[in-house]
Amino acid sequence: NGKTTTTTLVGEICKNAGRLTWVAGNIGLPLTAVAGQTHPEDVVVVEVSSFQCESLDTFQPDVAAVLNITEDHLNRHGAMCAYIAMKRRIFEKQTDTQVAVLNWDDPVCRDMAAGLAARVMWFSRRQAVPEGAFLQNEEVMVAMDGAPPRALCRADEIKIPGAHNLENALAAAVMTAALGVPLPVIRHTLRTFLGVEHRIEFVRELDGVRYINDSKGTNVDATLKAVEAMRAPTVLLAGGSDKGVDFAPLAQGILAQPLIRHVVLIGATAQKIAAALDNAGYKSYEHAGSDMARAVDACRALAGPGWNVLLSPACASFDMFKDFEHRGEVFKQLVQGLR
C-alpha cells in the first residue's frame, strides 16, 4: 500500500528539483507510452505491481523500494510466500551501485534485505536507522553517506494526512535523497504536496458532513489506514469484488476504532464483510446492494453534523465498476449532486 502516493510524491520532488520527470507504470500511464520520449538525463518514476513483477527480465532501477507487505491479490498469487517473492523481484537485477529502499518497521520488508546486491537504505516511523529516513522527536531525520542525521522537517508539516502517509513521505525522502536531490527541495515538496486523487480525497462538505473518497483503498490494510486517519465520527462505505482475503482484520480494526459509528456495505463481498463484523461483535451495519446511489443516500441519512462519510471499500471494484477510478468518480458525482 502507498505505491501511487509515493510514486507521485517522488515525481513531484524530482520535478521541483528541476529534472525532466516522467511518472508512469501501474499508476495509470503505461511505461511504454513514455519510453520513446525519454532521455538518459531524465528521471523516470515507475509504479510496479506484483503482477508486473512476475515477468521482469532486464528491469534494473537505480533506486527501488518496497513500502510494506500486507495480504492482497491472493486470488492470483495463491499464497503469501508467492506474493512476497514477486514483490522482491523488483531488486533482482540491481547492482552494488544502485539502491534498495525498505521499511524497517515491516518484518517482511526487513527480511527482504538479505542477499541483495544493492546498497540498502531504510525508512522507519519507530526508530533511528543507520542510513535512510526516520522519525525522531516528531522530526523527520535523514542520514546519508555516513554523515550525522540531518533534520528535514517536522512530521506535522507534511501536508498529506495519516500515519501511513508519514511512512510514504519518509520513503520518498530516502529515494530522492539517494538520487541526489537537495534536502531543501524535498522539504518544500513535503510541505506542499496535497496527495493523490481517490486516496483520502476530500470531496465536499454538506450539512456539516465531510465526504471523503478513498476508492483506492482496494485491500483491508489500505482501508484500515484510512480508518485510522479519521478524526471525527465516521460512516464507512465498504465492499466490492472479492480478492480471496480474510475480512476478520478489517472487522477487528473497525471495532477497535470507536469513531467508526456505522458501516454501509455494497457489492459482491458485502455478505462476507457482514459475517466478519458479526463475528467481531460489531452490529451497526446495513446493506445497500449493488447501488452506489442508494449507498450514498444511506450514508447521508446515518451521518450527523461534524461527521465524515468515508468511501474506503477494502476490495477491488470490478463487480460494479471498470476500476477504482471509475468507482471514485461515481461516488464523487453522487456526492456533488446531493442537495
Side-chain angles (χ1 to χ4, degrees), residues 251-252 255 274-285:
Q252 291 157 7
L255 188 67
L277 291 171
D278 284 336
N279 289 337
Y282 185 95
K283 301 299 183 182
S284 186
Y285 67 84

Side-chain angles (χ1 to χ4, degrees), residues 233-256:
T234 299
V235 180
L236 173 65
L237 173 53
S241 57
D242 198 344
K243 291 181 173 182
V245 302
D246 183 7
F247 290 111
L250 176 67
Q252 291 157 7
I254 289 170
L255 188 67

Side-chain angles (χ1 to χ4, degrees), residues 53 74 87 120 147 197 202 223 290:
C53 283
L74 298 189
K87 290 288 189 181
V120 177
E197 189 178 16
F202 173 71
T223 292
S290 294

Side-chain angles (χ1 to χ4, degrees), residues 22-33:
W22 307 82
V23 178
N26 200 51
I27 196 168
L29 181 68
L31 182 56
T32 50

Side-chain angles (χ1 to χ4, degrees), residues 7-21:
T7 300
T8 307
L9 178 53
V10 169
E12 288 302 305
I13 293 170
C14 292
K15 290 173 187 175
N16 288 340
R19 303 288 295 276
L20 182 56
T21 302

Side-chain angles (χ1 to χ4, degrees), residues 1-319:
N1 293 312
K3 295 190 303 298
T4 297
T5 296
T6 305
T7 300
T8 307
L9 178 53
V10 169
E12 288 302 305
I13 293 170
C14 292
K15 290 173 187 175
N16 288 340
R19 303 288 295 276
L20 182 56
T21 302
W22 307 82
V23 178
N26 200 51
I27 196 168
L29 181 68
L31 182 56
T32 50
V34 304
Q37 305 172 61
T38 61
H39 298 90
E41 65 272 16
D42 297 352
V43 177
V44 182
V45 189
V46 189
E47 177 182 324
V48 183
S49 73
S50 60
F51 294 13
Q52 293 159 335
C53 283
E54 291 175 350
S55 57
L56 294 183
D57 180 23
T58 58
F59 186 64
Q60 189 186 67
D62 295 297
V63 180
V66 173
L67 304 178
N68 51 70
I69 298 288
T70 60
E71 191 176 73
D72 202 2
H73 301 304
L74 298 189
N75 56 332
R76 181 182 181 102
H77 298 301
M80 278 298 291
C81 57
Y83 179 51
I84 292 164
M86 288 304 104
K87 290 288 189 181
R88 193 180 186 277
R89 293 202 68 214
I90 199 169
F91 305 120
E92 277 187 1
K93 300 295 182 179
Q94 286 188 301
T95 69
D96 58 5
T97 65
Q98 293 163 327
V99 173
V101 175
L102 289 162
N103 183 350
W104 178 268
D105 303 334
D106 186 314
V108 179
C109 287
R110 272 207 310 275
D111 290 345
M112 281 187 178
L116 294 183
R119 173 186 175 189
V120 177
M121 296 185 185
W122 304 95
F123 65 95
S124 173
R125 276 200 297 131
R126 299 192 172 97
Q127 68 178 75
V129 295
E131 190 165 40
F134 58 93
L135 194 64
Q136 186 175 72
N137 298 324
E138 296 304 310
E139 271 203 304
V140 175
M141 309 295 292
V142 176
M144 301 289 292
D145 302 319
R150 297 169 59 189
L152 182 63
C153 65
R154 295 194 315 276
D156 61 9
E157 292 180 288
I158 295 171
K159 200 78 172 177
I160 44 179
H164 63 292
N165 275 325
L166 175 56
E167 293 182 1
N168 295 336
L170 290 167
V174 178
M175 296 177 76
T176 51
L179 287 170
V181 176
L183 292 192
V185 176
I186 301 174
R187 179 184 301 116
H188 166 76
T189 312
L190 294 184
R191 287 171 171 170
T192 57
F193 179 69
L194 296 175
V196 298
E197 189 178 16
H198 307 299
R199 192 66 179 115
I200 315 186
E201 174 195 9
F202 173 71
V203 179
R204 75 178 291 198
E205 183 172 331
L206 177 66
D207 298 332
V209 178
R210 290 170 54 86
Y211 291 82
I212 299 167
N213 168 32
D214 192 55
S215 183
K216 205 171 189 317
T218 57
N219 59 51
V220 167
D221 191 65
T223 292
L224 288 175
K225 294 292 193 298
V227 163
E228 290 163 6
M230 296 298 101
R231 295 293 180 265
T234 299
V235 180
L236 173 65
L237 173 53
S241 57
D242 198 344
K243 291 181 173 182
V245 302
D246 183 7
F247 290 111
L250 176 67
Q252 291 157 7
I254 289 170
L255 188 67
Q257 171 54 284
L259 288 175
I260 305 301
R261 301 292 175 82
H262 304 283
V263 179
V264 174
L265 298 171
I266 58 171
T269 58
Q271 294 295 340
K272 286 182 69 174
I273 298 173
L277 291 171
D278 284 336
N279 289 337
Y282 185 95
K283 301 299 183 182
S284 186
Y285 67 84
E286 63 182 69
H287 292 269
S290 294
D291 187 335
M292 182 63 88
R294 176 184 165 191
V296 169
D297 287 343
C299 290
R300 184 184 188 184
L302 290 165
W307 287 39
N308 300 321
V309 168
L310 170 67
L311 168 68
S312 190
C315 302
S317 55
F318 305 117
D319 56 334

